[in-house]
Amino acid sequence: MAGMGSQNFGYPGNGRKRQSSDGGDDDMLMSKKIGAGAAACWDDPAAALAAARHEFGEHGGVNMSIEASATFTVMEPETMRRMFAGELGADRDFFIYSRHFNPTVLNLGRQMAALEGTEAAYCTASGMSAISSVLMQICSSGGHVVASRALYGGTHALLTHFLPRACNITTSFVDIRDHAAVREAMVEGRTKVLYFEAMSNPTLTVADVPELSRIAQEKGVMVVVDNTFAPMVLSPARLGADVVVHSISKFISGGADIIAGAVCGPASLVNSMMDLHQGTLMLLGPTMNAKVAFELSERIPHLGLRMKEHCNRAMTFATRLKKMGFKVVYPGLEDHPDHALLKSMANKDYGYGGLMCVDMETEERANRLMNMLQNHSQFGFMAVSLGYYETLMSCSGSSTSSEMSDEEQALAGISPGLVRLSVGYIGTLEQRWRQLEKAISRMM
């Protein structure tokens, strides 16, 4: 397609030859590092991140410079015409306007593509903008989506209310564990997307990514997976998914101070989303600020270390609470129905996720537990979101899943008393366990 979409967005360069960590020209190795064929070369996402190009600062700083310009100058008048015609673009270090492409944001996209093992990635202003842009790019009016019943409330509302009203895109919700139901829900010629969360919010259902991808791709349906709950732990694209989306605001950021998202997938899709005439990212404008991209790019290198500790503590607390007789939902526990599946798909040594749930059965009991944990033992904070270094907790049915009706929550397996805990890593593990025990003893 003519226009901006013709740029080779999958392998952006800055026009300067740098030695890569592999010892060769960076431009020569870019496709090896983040291209589709490279995904299988790195079994560990940390290794893929380490092998990705390191962007240095303008004056040789070990950290890249922030390109804070909204617009960019050219040396010759003819250059601007050629840029708008799609002949010159970000892959050759030609920039027009930061809603199109920004060098700092492009560098974060390279890191996200390396993390997820995809050809390309584009970083957005929020996770919901990433999700909505992907769905509206792949699906046209009259299109159909098959989606898991267990989804983040905002995504469920987008699929249930906004897309049918504004775009004439409808969704069939299914139990993602029921592969026969998934296959049956796909409508020949209409279904364009199979959408699910690798680890569901808040029920921690684990999707069989390889099998679901096989089913969808046999039908010519694209697989879009939200991997917000399990970065480093799972790599859906390496397991067969076409597209991976993230709310970077969560574990990847880690500081509960930034709202951001990402679309990771084939260069052809990302290019189409940036097309001057029909691209959702281009025309809806969910632009990430360059200063935000810089901050995030400095956090991704230690994401693996943080995830290991989140997961270690979640596993420890889940095991101990279960021994005390609590109804605990955590896929690291052997009695979780998806434990074996997750173990077979997970990247080695990262654990089973940093979230766990305690089902207190009623909202009243859930609220009492959270009150004790925050206000009497200082174990954590009552707050939505996840991935923070402090423990965050919420009663999902009345908070992050409140967009769903009581019936929809029941179908998704969300109990009225389900307390979702994003387990933090600040302080020592035993210090935090004592605080948890103190809260529990006051409830007895």
Side-chain angles (χ1 to χ4, degrees):
M1 186 174 289
M4 290 298 183
S6 62
Q7 297 181 66
N8 181 11
F9 178 74
Y11 317 114
N14 69 354
R16 284 173 276 183
K17 301 281 188 181
R18 299 193 191 280
Q19 283 296 104
S20 76
S21 58
D22 289 311
D25 272 349
D26 185 67
D27 294 320
M28 294 289 290
L29 291 167
M30 188 58 64
S31 61
K32 175 184 173 185
K33 290 174 183 175
I34 63 173
C41 296
W42 306 108
D43 294 329
D44 190 326
L49 281 168
R53 166 173 148 181
H54 187 100
E55 187 76 15
F56 293 95
E58 182 180 1
H59 303 290
V62 293
N63 292 323
M64 68 176 172
S65 299
I66 302 173
E67 182 48 80
S69 294
T71 189
F72 300 82
T73 190
V74 296
M75 298 304 294
E76 303 291 340
E78 177 67 9
T79 302
M80 189 170 289
R81 182 200 66 76
R82 293 183 65 194
M83 286 194 294
F84 273 92
E87 297 172 17
L88 299 173
D91 58 318
R92 292 177 60 185
D93 203 26
F94 288 93
F95 298 91
I96 300 174
Y97 185 63
S98 278
R99 178 166 60 84
H100 304 170
F101 300 104
N102 174 280
T104 314
V105 181
L106 282 176
N107 185 65
L108 178 63
R110 279 196 294 268
Q111 290 176 296
M112 289 301 301
L115 174 67
E116 287 297 349
T118 59
E119 282 187 318
Y122 190 93
C123 297
T124 63
S126 71
M128 282 306 302
S129 67
I131 294 166
S132 58
S133 295
V134 165
L135 294 176
M136 287 191 283
Q137 188 68 35
I138 300 173
C139 298
S140 302
S141 177
H144 178 249
V145 176
V146 175
S148 172
R149 285 176 180 159
L151 291 175
Y152 165 59
T155 309
H156 192 276
L158 174 73
L159 293 167
T160 305
H161 304 294
F162 181 84
L163 289 182
R165 174 182 63 79
C167 307
N168 190 31
I169 296 169
T170 57
T171 299
S172 298
F173 292 96
V174 296
D175 179 352
I176 206 66
R177 288 172 171 153
D178 187 342
H179 296 168
V182 171
R183 185 181 286 104
E184 188 176 336
M186 294 178 184
V187 180
E188 185 85 29
R190 279 193 62 222
T191 304
K192 304 299 181 184
V193 173
L194 173 62
Y195 183 93
F196 55 89
E197 294 168 349
M199 193 177 292
S200 71
N201 183 1
T203 56
L204 305 184
T205 299
V206 180
D208 188 338
V209 181
E211 180 61 16
L212 290 166
S213 298
R214 186 188 65 79
I215 292 168
Q217 287 154 8
E218 281 180 356
K219 301 269 190 177
V221 174
M222 288 196 76
V223 178
V224 180
V225 180
D226 185 338
N227 199 32
T228 298
F229 269 33
M232 308 299 289
V233 176
L234 288 170
S235 299
R238 294 181 175 98
L239 295 168
D242 297 296
V243 183
V244 181
V245 292
H246 274 280
S247 172
I248 298 180
S249 318
K250 311 304 193 296
F251 285 111
I252 295 174
S253 165
D257 57 343
I258 287 174
I259 301 296
V263 178
C264 309
S268 58
L269 173 67
V270 178
N271 278 327
S272 73
M273 296 177 76
M274 291 305 298
D275 183 79
L276 187 64
H277 304 290
Q278 298 191 52
T280 50
L281 290 172
M282 176 68 77
L283 298 175
L284 299 179
T287 307
M288 176 180 281
N289 186 284
K291 295 171 185 175
V292 168
F294 173 82
E295 287 198 30
L296 290 169
S297 72
E298 296 297 291
R299 301 179 190 190
I300 286 182
H302 49 72
L303 173 62
L305 297 174
R306 291 187 279 115
M307 286 306 301
K308 286 180 180 181
E309 191 58 20
H310 281 298
C311 296
N312 173 52
R313 294 198 182 193
M315 183 71 186
T316 301
F317 294 159
T319 301
R320 292 179 182 181
L321 284 170
K322 181 176 174 57
K323 286 181 179 177
M324 294 175 74
F326 284 87
K327 187 177 180 181
V328 179
V329 181
Y330 183 65
L333 297 176
E334 291 187 1
D335 65 347
H336 188 283
D338 302 326
H339 173 73
L341 172 64
L342 178 56
K343 191 172 183 179
S344 71
M345 296 190 300
N347 293 314
K348 188 179 178 181
D349 297 329
Y350 289 98
Y352 298 96
L355 286 110
M356 56 177 282
C357 295
V358 180
D359 190 351
M360 301 301 290
E361 297 183 346
T362 67
E363 185 178 350
E364 180 184 7
R365 294 190 72 229
N367 289 341
R368 188 172 169 224
L369 174 63
M370 291 190 297
N371 181 56
M372 290 293 180
L373 289 171
Q374 175 179 286
N375 298 322
H376 295 278
S377 72
Q378 291 76 51
F379 175 74
F381 301 130
M382 287 182 279
V384 298
S385 199
L386 52 120
Y388 190 39
Y389 55 80
E390 290 275 10
T391 294
L392 302 179
M393 53 199 166
S394 58
C395 182
S396 296
S398 57
S399 59
T400 53
S401 297
S402 61
E403 294 93 338
M404 303 168 72
S405 67
D406 290 345
E407 181 181 0
E408 288 168 334
Q409 289 189 25
L411 285 170
I414 302 171
S415 159
L418 192 70
V419 177
R420 188 190 76 184
L421 295 102
S422 171
V423 179
Y425 55 77
I426 194 170
T428 69
L429 187 154
E430 294 304 331
Q431 172 193 20
R432 289 310 199 189
W433 174 249
R434 287 193 297 270
Q435 291 171 319
L436 184 53
E437 278 188 312
K438 178 182 176 183
I440 291 169
S441 66
R442 294 196 63 162
M443 286 192 66
M444 299 304 186

